Amino acid sequence: MYLCANYNDINMSSKVRVRFAPSPTGPLHIGGVRTALYNYLFAKKHGGDFLLRIEDTDQTRFVQGAEKYIVEALAWCGISPDEGIGGEDRGNGPYRQSERKPMYREYAEQLLAADKAYIAFDTAEELDAMRQMAKDAGASNWQYNYITRGNMKNSLTLPKEEVDAKIAAGEPYVVRIKLPRDHEVRLEDTIRGWVSVNTNNMDDKVLFKADGMPTYHLANIVDDHLMGITHVIRGEEWLPSAPLHVMLYEAFGWECPTFAHLPLLLKPDGPGKLSKRDGDRLGFPVFPIDWKNDETGETASGYREFGFFPGAFINMLALLGWNPGTEQEVFDLQGLVDAFDLSKVSKSGAKFDFEKGKWFNQLYLRDLSEVELAQELKNVLDNEGLSYNEAHLGTIATMMSERATFPKDLLEEGRFLFETPSVYDEKTRNKKWSDASAPMMQDIAHRFNALPDFTSEAIEASFKGYLAEKELGFGKVGPSFRLAVTGRGMGPSMFTICAVLGKDEVLARISKAIKVLG
Ligand code: GLU
């Protein structure tokens, strides 16, 4: 039996070192961001190191720009690697597997010399033929294993001279792991508990390919070992590979890291993994930032460009699959570090909930200071090329933040402050605008014009003075006044709005309204 127990206590006595090891095959899915986040939180919680390594051994799946995207997305989230790509080189580099290429062969040789691996010459066609034969005989799951390898073209079946001759002649070959027969491989996963597989049900996986590159399995284990990784925290889709990895550690005679396989992110409205298609169908992004593949033109939208604050995005992600064991839901990054505990990560998949993400964003938005809100609004206005008086942005943004979830809402809710109304709310117009309205607006404009200081207090006093003088209730004048100045039926205090707009603009809007509404 091969055991890979959860050496938590042992490993914790040495410095915790974890890694996020994405393959640059496209934009990073939010599930990947969550994996990076949990690694980061775990490292920081235990005073350890978080590494970023790029696993680009599969040249056929390499996508230009994907690595840059990963680095930028993590930086936006505030998840900064201590070491590796985007972090320091602490003598364990290079941190891109393609640049480590020459090193892997040596490890494959080491396993060959120890009889833990063998060379195989079977071509893709020959392997397909074997699979087909097995299928025809009723066995759908053909494996290259301790039984079948005896009938294949490899260094276990061919005489040594023939193997050497083939290699000398440049015939392509791969290196496969030589799994022993009928051994129980048991590994203790921090999240899932004990996982057990018999080697009879495992494949002699390829470790080293004919193109001179290692496979993911070999490169991953060699690098985790050389980089001193103590805990491997990764997505559930890698759990089936974990027994093979345990066998590789065993074959090299290296100590296993502690494994933790994270639950999947599930669709919000049904079974299965959350995919890009779900996002497109339901109208939300499944990537952290916008993506564009320059070669294919393929694009995908991201949380950043949607208007999410990184803090809100991270807060939402952290709670998908982990809970602090308390009622607390709102955490900043440091708060997450303090509260994070791998043993509180759930085994079952986490249903994605975009509405909850919006709720977090709203909280984060409302928590901004007036200066920060003003800056958010300024960015939106600049983007749209709208002009504004900088002095009022803080007041406007604060006023609008009550109704906003995203920075863009600060403008949407208050667009009437930056654009003279061209349409007037139909309902208010029918109910509140009467023949008496135009003369009333004239009077108000007249009074406003005489105000030396156009402050909200002065405007309020003037407006109320007018009501008192004419013995009019607020309901008789207020709604039509709002309609004339903003085009709307509802909104924040009209006195603040008028002060923000300034006298000239208010007077101009009133006279325009009189013309349009009659
Ligand atoms: N390169 C693998 C991936 O793309 C890494 C899996 C692991 O963390 O071991 O997810």
Side-chain angles (χ1 to χ4, degrees):
M1 175 159 70
Y2 293 103
L3 259 193
C4 177
N6 188 339
Y7 294 113
N8 247 326
D9 298 339
I10 303 167
N11 282 342
M12 288 297 198
S13 64
S14 59
K15 189 175 194 190
V16 164
R17 282 172 64 80
V18 296
R19 85 307 193 268
F20 178 52
S23 299
T25 54
L28 184 61
H29 185 274
I30 53 174
V33 181
R34 190 199 54 178
T35 300
L37 175 65
Y38 284 9
N39 271 285
Y40 175 86
L41 297 178
F42 183 76
K44 296 298 128 188
K45 167 96 187 201
H46 298 287
D49 297 330
F50 169 65
L51 284 79
L52 177 60
R53 181 173 76 222
I54 297 293
E55 300 207 326
D56 54 352
T57 52
D58 190 348
Q59 313 269 290
T60 59
R61 297 182 63 221
F62 179 83
V63 171
Q64 197 68 42
E67 179 187 311
K68 191 166 157 268
Y69 178 95
I70 292 165
V71 171
E72 191 181 337
L74 294 184
W76 176 66
C77 295
I79 307 174
S80 44
D82 300 294
E83 188 175 333
I85 305 294
E88 288 175 24
D89 184 342
R90 299 204 182 142
N92 300 302
Y95 297 93
R96 214 172 267 118
Q97 288 186 329
S98 57
E99 292 168 17
R100 299 169 71 79
K101 183 180 167 187
M103 208 186 58
Y104 300 113
R105 178 178 291 277
E106 181 192 313
Y107 287 94
E109 300 282 353
Q110 194 178 316
L111 293 184
L112 286 171
D115 195 28
K116 304 275 188 186
Y118 56 93
I119 285 170
F121 297 100
D122 319 277
T123 62
E125 294 73 35
E126 285 164 345
L127 290 169
D128 284 345
M130 283 311 284
R131 276 188 207 102
Q132 193 53 50
M133 254 166 67
K135 208 165 162 194
D136 294 346
S140 55
N141 195 14
W142 184 83
Q143 291 191 314
Y144 206 120
N145 63 14
Y146 72 100
I147 298 175
T148 58
R149 69 192 177 211
N151 299 318
M152 305 299 288
K153 255 190 337 192
N154 56 49
S155 58
L156 303 175
T157 56
L158 302 172
K160 186 173 180 319
E161 307 73 62
E162 198 178 330
V163 170
D164 292 344
K166 278 176 179 294
I167 293 174
E171 201 170 305
Y173 65 90
V174 300
V175 176
R176 288 180 180 271
I177 187 166
K178 186 178 172 195
L179 288 176
R181 190 184 161 178
D182 198 17
H183 274 73
E184 232 18 61
V185 187
R186 305 198 67 210
L187 75 112
E188 190 182 10
D189 186 275
T190 310
I191 296 164
R192 307 184 163 261
W194 283 99
V195 175
S196 185
V197 182
N198 190 289
T199 49
N200 287 359
N201 299 317
M202 291 168 66
D203 217 12
D204 282 356
K205 283 270 189 252
V206 172
L207 303 177
F208 201 81
K209 295 178 284 187
D211 65 4
M213 277 293 217
T215 58
Y216 152 72
H217 302 294
L218 179 70
N220 186 270
I221 266 56
V222 166
D223 286 350
D224 279 351
H225 174 72
L226 294 179
M227 294 180 185
I229 299 304
T230 57
H231 295 73
V232 168
I233 304 168
R234 61 186 174 191
E236 182 183 290
E237 63 273 29
W238 298 104
L239 187 61
S241 301
L244 172 72
H245 295 177
V246 172
M247 289 310 294
L248 275 169
Y249 282 107
E250 169 67 28
F252 282 117
W254 297 335
E255 189 192 327
C256 250
T258 297
F259 288 102
H261 288 90
L262 306 174
L264 292 176
L265 289 190
L266 304 175
K267 294 180 197 302
D269 59 350
K273 202 173 151 179
L274 176 71
S275 71
K276 177 168 186 290
R277 226 168 311 131
D278 299 317
D280 294 343
R281 182 170 57 87
L282 299 167
F284 59 77
V286 298
F287 300 102
I289 60 179
D290 275 4
W291 159 257
K292 179 156 196 296
N293 184 329
D294 288 335
E295 275 160 36
T296 63
E298 171 219 3
T299 59
S301 68
Y303 278 80
R304 180 176 67 183
E305 291 76 5
F306 202 94
F308 274 82
F309 297 105
F313 174 64
I314 286 300
N315 201 151
M316 164 191 83
L317 272 189
L319 291 169
L320 287 169
W322 166 79
N323 74 82
T326 65
E327 292 296 300
Q328 188 180 346
E329 287 191 291
V330 183
F331 294 90
D332 61 12
L333 193 55
Q334 186 54 48
L336 287 172
V337 168
D338 296 337
F340 191 71
D341 184 349
L342 256 190
S343 68
K344 288 210 171 69
V345 173
S346 73
K347 270 204 238 335
S348 46
K351 235 181 207 335
F352 185 72
D353 182 355
F354 185 62
E355 291 307 313
K356 188 79 192 201
K358 278 163 66 179
W359 179 80
F360 278 118
N361 214 58
Q362 195 171 42
L363 287 184
Y364 272 74
L365 184 103
R366 291 195 187 154
D367 211 34
L368 295 182
S369 68
E370 184 167 320
V371 173
E372 290 166 328
L373 279 170
Q375 186 56 50
E376 293 294 342
L377 176 56
K378 190 171 176 329
N379 296 344
V380 181
L381 288 164
D382 288 344
N383 255 339
E384 291 218 11
L386 289 170
S387 54
Y388 48 85
N389 177 346
E390 192 128 10
H392 292 308
L393 290 186
T395 316
I396 298 173
T398 307
M399 203 157 63
M400 297 307 158
S401 63
E402 286 302 311
R403 293 177 185 75
T405 300
F406 301 106
K408 59 179 179 263
D409 302 336
L410 296 173
L411 171 61
E412 274 334 306
E413 290 294 325
R415 192 174 274 280
F416 61 87
L417 290 168
F418 303 95
E419 287 171 347
T420 307
S422 50
V423 288
Y424 295 85
D425 182 59
E426 244 343 276
K427 229 166 103 191
T428 315
R429 180 177 183 170
N430 292 338
K431 266 172 84 176
K432 301 290 181 184
W433 191 269
S434 69
D435 290 346
S437 299
M440 287 194 283
M441 294 308 122
Q442 299 274 25
D443 288 347
I444 291 170
H446 196 67
R447 293 178 74 104
F448 281 3
N449 196 23
L451 291 176
D453 294 318
F454 205 63
T455 62
S456 72
E457 294 77 18
I459 296 164
E460 183 170 358
S462 168
F463 188 83
K464 287 187 172 162
Y466 171 73
L467 294 183
E469 191 187 305
K470 300 278 177 187
E471 296 187 354
L472 289 166
F474 189 86
K476 276 262 175 284
V477 194
S480 42
F481 175 55
R482 179 183 295 284
L483 184 71
V485 177
T486 68
R488 296 182 160 208
M490 285 188 309
S493 153
M494 276 311 293
F495 309 123
T496 316
I497 290 173
C498 287
V500 162
L501 290 174
K503 191 195 280 182
D504 291 351
E505 177 68 13
V506 171
L507 297 185
R509 286 185 180 202
I510 290 177
S511 71
K512 177 177 176 190
I514 290 172
K515 275 198 206 104
V516 177
L517 301 172

